[in-house]
Amino acid sequence: MRHTLRFKRELLWQLMLGLSLVLGWSARAEAPLEPEPLEQGTLAERQHRAARRLLATNSYRSVAVSPSGDVWVWGNGLGRDLGTWPEIQLGTGLPVRMPRMTEAVSASSASGGGHSLILLEDGTVMAWGINNVGQLGDGTTLTGFERVKVKGLTEVVAIVAGDTHSLAARRDGSVWAWGSNSYGQLGDGTTTRRLLATPIPGLSQIVAVAAGSSHSLALRADGTVWAWGTNSYGQLGDGTRTQRLSPVQVPGLTDVVAIDTRFATSYAVRTDGSVWAWGANFSGQLGDGTQSTYRATPAPVPGLTQVVSVAAGHSHALALRRDGSLWAWGTNHSGQLGRGTESPTGLPEPVPGLEGVIAAAADSVHSLALRRDGSVYTWGHNQLGAMGTGSDRQATPTRVDLRDVRAMASNSAHAVAIRQDGSVWRWGQEITDGTLITRATPERVQGLSHAVAIAAGAFHSVVALQDGTVWAWGDNFRGQLGQGTFDAGQDTPVQVQGLSDVVAVAAGDFHSLALKRDGTVWAWGANYFGQLGNVALELYDSPVPVQVQGLQGVSSIAAGLDFSAAITSDGTVWQWGSTMLAWYSGDMMPRPPEPAPGLSNAVKVVVMYTGLIALRADGTARQWNVSPFFAVYPDEAFEAITGAVDLVASASSIQILRADGTVWNFGSNLYSERGFPTEEATSYELAQVPGLSGGVALAADSFTVYALRENGRLMAWGSNSLGNIGNGELSVHLRPVRVKLPCKLKDLSAAEGFREHHCHAEP
């Protein structure tokens, strides 16, 4: 306990120091590094350097290894996902030093985010993360909270984590594999999974390994490359698309010094500095200017010379040249090429403004680079905190750039609001005309005025006007705009057909609801779980409003996911559609609305992933779960709710507004939805959101929470992955920005070599 507390104090100090240092860095230009060619050396020396992975990344988290053996990790998730449990129980999207890790030399993380590996100086391997198919190599399929040692492995010199399998090369040149083997990716001639590391027959003198989704590569000391596993995109490079259960040599490749692969595209660097590529090419990741399904044999990437290593992303790639420049090609929908745009390129181009690079890593939506001075840079989409810039979330309540707000609603991608003058505003990410549009600050929706009620679906929005009409915009592939059609939707609001005298609206992911003044409820859009509440439709979608059967005297409505709910004038809660029960019970037949057991005297109902929460007239709350397997919040947590005047739910927290204008909550803080920064996995105990008062209403989606204050200002906290916070900041970085490490990892110069130091000692 004493060690844990000491470490937490040290971590807190480091995070505070990191913030001040980062602010300082942003205020001054980074000093350019003098050009300094990377070392060449013999074939064996170059292979050894390229096999060492100083950076590892996936969509959920990133890992950096310093020359002193420390490991830094950042991203989203619990400490068991980051490898920091129990000292650090929760990721914050900012880098933290991994506890009890001082002798690391290499790291690797699975592209799917499931598990990670660390190679230690003594030749052993540590693993953490998901273990459902034995990818941690501890002899079990149990996913624990702490790091475990891979059993039976010593004298390891290189490691790699595939999506659900792992590889290690030992000093004697053998390769050992464990985890999933459904496609023969373990190379032992079978498709049997292995819970313990098992040697691959027929491989010797191996100095480096690489792994894709379900295939593997190995580099021999003689410069040849060997491959095995799935081959649906020709990623094995043998000229076929035939799956191989045992290693086969990749023909035509000699004098190779480095390899890498991700998903289904493979790369090799030869001693002459050329890069060769083969496999999937649906985004131009082969780098030859073409975009095709695949190529089953290696071919050179044109325009690249003096390359020393390559980093494979899901559908883009990075090449590190001897002069320290970094070149990129392939998909660029999230800015992962670092060129300042989102336009793809099928030919390699340099990442501008980046020099002195000594290592790089890439995943599906972002890239990382380690410079010679020990600083780490990143670019792309920081949707889950794996870029370490802090732009993916807002841990404390922050002002939305919108005044005089009267009402608002949100879904996981976007938010909408009504101002006091009746105008309608939107921000975040929407689909319009089949195109994704992201707004970092609120923008007025043209053509709408006198709005009185508003709702947000997954990618569509619905608003009721003072004259009783309903208007909608956004995605329409399920008919959720109520136009009588199924199409890509539109950016301009259109009137929903056949509705009048409407006083309230609600929206699930792909369906919409309207409450009329006469107490009837109408629904349109998706109906695959019966969420429209009309048995006559069976499970067919409806692009026009239909009346929800059997409901009269309704006073309020709610919707979320594929679920719908209503409260009648006597306080009874009614429900129809499905949350997640149908996936487990197999019962997806539509039913008319039915009362939710145990929910009465309700004034508001909230739809969750697992069921419903009802706010009662006396300020207490009750929950109803569709299955006992989803009893996420214990009953005693709801017993603690008193004096509530409003209530909302994110994916993993409950937010309560009390009559005195303060906001309280309980649950998880995975996306900072508790409204305060913490490294601990918070309990179910009720806690107040610090520094927030004067609240009059709440709203929430899966990962972001909003509080409307009595002065008309809107406050937001939680995820900002799609611009949800609305404060002008986006989590997309189209050009390289500095990872918010509280220090530089190392300093490398030709005269002095590595200058190792404690991270907190030098900015």
Side-chain angles (χ1 to χ4, degrees):
M1 177 63 72
R2 185 173 302 168
H3 169 75
T4 301
L5 293 175
R6 180 193 62 77
F7 184 84
K8 288 180 178 179
R9 287 194 297 269
E10 179 185 354
L11 173 71
L12 214 53
W13 180 87
Q14 289 169 351
L15 290 176
M16 294 171 62
L17 175 62
L19 181 59
S20 64
L21 289 174
V22 169
L23 292 174
W25 291 335
S26 64
R28 66 178 187 270
E30 185 73 28
L33 296 178
E34 293 296 326
E36 185 175 311
L38 296 173
E39 297 179 20
Q40 291 291 85
T42 66
L43 174 64
E45 290 171 340
R46 295 173 65 184
Q47 289 174 336
H48 176 72
R49 281 197 301 270
R52 184 183 180 189
R53 300 174 183 267
L54 299 177
L55 294 175
T57 191
N58 56 45
S59 297
Y60 297 87
R61 64 200 61 93
S62 298
V63 183
V65 178
S66 78
S68 61
D70 292 335
V71 174
W72 289 78
V73 61
W74 56 93
N76 180 66
L78 294 172
R80 67 179 179 185
D81 305 310
L82 299 172
T84 60
W85 194 277
E87 291 89 345
I88 305 171
Q89 301 174 6
L90 204 61
T92 65
L94 292 174
V96 294
R97 184 185 287 160
M98 185 176 289
R100 297 172 284 114
M101 182 62 67
T102 58
E103 298 180 346
V105 296
S106 187
S108 182
S109 290
S111 179
H115 73 292
S116 301
L117 305 174
I118 290 285
L119 173 60
L120 302 182
E121 287 182 2
D122 63 5
T124 61
V125 179
M126 302 296 293
W128 70 91
I130 294 175
N131 194 34
N132 60 312
V133 288
Q135 55 265 56
L136 299 190
D138 65 348
T140 76
T141 56
L142 302 176
T143 298
F145 276 74
E146 298 192 51
R147 302 186 299 265
V148 297
K149 179 174 286 189
V150 178
K151 292 184 177 180
L153 274 185
T154 58
E155 298 187 332
V156 174
V157 296
I159 55 171
V160 70
D163 271 12
T164 55
H165 74 291
S166 305
L167 302 173
R170 296 184 65 199
R171 193 174 306 279
D172 62 6
S174 62
V175 177
W176 295 60
W178 60 98
S180 174
N181 198 26
S182 301
Y183 298 91
Q185 59 263 50
L186 300 190
D188 61 359
T190 76
T191 56
T192 303
R193 73 179 183 184
R194 306 294 179 183
L195 305 185
L196 294 170
T198 304
I200 298 178
L203 283 180
S204 61
Q205 301 181 26
I206 300 300
V207 294
V209 286
S213 292
S214 302
H215 78 288
S216 305
L217 302 178
L219 171 62
R220 288 191 73 194
D222 63 4
T224 59
V225 178
W226 297 70
W228 60 96
T230 189
N231 199 24
S232 53
Y233 291 98
Q235 57 262 54
L236 302 189
D238 63 354
T240 76
R241 296 175 65 188
T242 303
Q243 175 178 297
R244 306 293 183 181
L245 303 184
S246 299
V248 294
Q249 185 174 349
V250 179
L253 276 183
T254 57
D255 298 323
V256 172
V257 296
I259 56 173
D260 202 19
T261 185
R262 204 79 158 176
F263 181 57
T265 309
S266 304
Y267 303 91
V269 180
R270 300 183 64 191
T271 53
D272 61 4
S274 63
V275 177
W276 294 63
W278 62 99
N281 193 39
F282 43 81
S283 297
Q285 59 263 52
L286 292 184
D288 60 0
T290 69
Q291 188 169 324
S292 57
T293 305
Y294 71 97
R295 185 175 65 222
T297 55
V301 178
L304 283 179
T305 59
Q306 299 185 27
V307 174
V308 295
S309 66
V310 64
H314 183 277
S315 48
H316 77 290
L318 308 172
L320 174 59
R321 296 187 67 211
R322 187 168 178 262
D323 62 4
S325 64
L326 197 65
W327 295 59
W329 65 94
T331 190
N332 195 36
H333 56 79
S334 297
Q336 53 266 64
L337 300 187
R339 299 165 52 232
T341 73
E342 294 180 333
S343 301
T345 176
L347 294 170
E349 295 182 7
V351 179
L354 198 62
E355 67 279 325
V357 177
I358 61 171
D363 195 59
S364 57
V365 295
H366 70 279
S367 305
L368 290 173
L370 172 63
R371 296 175 76 211
R372 191 174 67 245
D373 67 353
S375 60
V376 181
Y377 280 75
T378 184
W379 55 97
H381 192 181
N382 193 31
Q383 59 183 355
L384 295 171
M387 292 175 63
T389 64
S391 60
D392 64 307
R393 67 186 66 200
Q394 183 58 243
T396 57
T398 301
R399 283 186 178 182
V400 177
D401 290 340
L402 191 64
R403 294 179 178 270
D404 301 322
V405 177
R406 186 173 67 199
M408 70 89 54
S410 67
N411 204 297
S412 298
H414 71 289
V416 288
I418 302 173
R419 293 185 66 191
Q420 292 291 348
D421 61 4
S423 60
V424 178
W425 297 70
R426 60 184 172 182
W427 64 96
Q429 191 173 86
E430 291 183 309
I431 290 181
T432 55
D433 298 322
T435 303
L436 281 172
I437 299 177
T438 303
R439 301 174 179 88
T441 55
E443 175 186 290
R444 184 167 183 173
V445 180
Q446 299 300 317
L448 289 177
S449 59
H450 305 294
V452 296
I454 199 162
F459 292 106
H460 77 288
S461 301
V462 185
V463 61
L465 303 186
Q466 195 173 39
D467 63 5
T469 60
V470 177
W471 297 69
W473 70 93
D475 186 42
N476 192 44
F477 82 103
R478 288 284 188 175
Q480 57 265 51
L481 299 190
Q483 294 301 292
T485 61
F486 302 98
D487 53 47
Q490 58 188 57
D491 187 54
T492 305
V494 292
Q495 187 174 348
V496 176
Q497 296 179 5
L499 281 181
S500 61
D501 210 24
V502 171
V503 296
V505 289
D509 277 358
F510 308 111
H511 74 289
S512 307
L513 302 178
L515 171 61
K516 298 183 72 172
R517 196 175 303 277
D518 63 6
T520 60
V521 180
W522 297 71
W524 62 99
N527 195 44
Y528 42 80
F529 282 134
Q531 54 263 54
L532 301 188
N534 191 304
V535 176
L537 290 173
E538 296 181 350
L539 293 179
Y540 292 102
D541 299 344
S542 176
V544 295
V546 296
Q547 186 173 353
V548 176
Q549 296 175 331
L551 278 183
Q552 299 292 332
V554 173
S555 58
S556 69
I557 53 176
L561 302 164
D562 309 312
F563 207 41
S564 304
I567 302 175
T568 52
S569 56
D570 62 358
T572 301
V573 176
W574 297 72
Q575 52 81 25
W576 61 99
S578 175
T579 53
M580 298 176 71
L581 176 62
W583 294 100
Y584 288 85
S585 67
D587 182 5
M588 294 181 289
M589 293 303 296
R591 294 186 177 87
E594 300 172 344
L599 301 187
S600 61
N601 197 27
V603 294
K604 181 178 181 178
V605 62
V606 175
V607 175
M608 301 189 303
Y609 283 97
T610 59
L612 301 172
I613 306 174
L615 175 62
R616 304 174 72 184
D618 62 2
T620 62
R622 291 291 181 270
Q623 67 171 332
W624 173 70
N625 288 315
V626 296
S627 167
F629 298 109
F630 295 118
V632 177
Y633 303 105
D635 291 336
E636 55 266 24
F638 286 88
E639 294 292 340
I641 298 176
T642 59
V645 295
D646 198 5
L647 182 148
V648 295
S650 71
S652 53
S653 74
I654 306 298
Q655 310 280 333
I656 300 103
L657 174 66
R658 286 184 167 165
D660 62 1
T662 59
V663 179
W664 298 68
N665 56 39
F666 59 87
S668 171
N669 201 37
L670 280 175
Y671 296 92
S672 298
E673 57 264 55
R674 297 297 302 272
F676 50 83
T678 176
E679 71 198 43
E680 296 182 1
T682 50
S683 69
Y684 292 124
E685 293 182 2
L686 209 59
Q688 184 177 353
V689 177
L692 187 60
S693 61
V696 295
L698 298 176
D701 53 49
S702 295
F703 312 115
T704 312
V705 183
Y706 304 85
L708 176 59
R709 301 180 69 188
E710 56 191 359
N711 61 1
R713 294 308 303 252
L714 192 62
M715 309 297 289
W717 61 95
S719 173
N720 190 42
S721 63
L722 300 173
N724 319 58
I725 297 295
N727 65 345
E729 295 183 5
L730 283 176
S731 59
V732 174
H733 304 278
L734 300 182
R735 295 188 184 276
V737 295
R738 196 157 174 176
V739 174
K740 290 186 176 181
L741 281 160
C743 58
K744 295 181 179 180
L745 296 181
K746 63 185 177 185
D747 201 345
L748 176 62
S749 64
E752 297 176 322
F754 284 107
R755 292 205 306 268
E756 299 183 7
H757 52 76
H758 292 294
C759 193
H760 63 268
E762 181 180 340

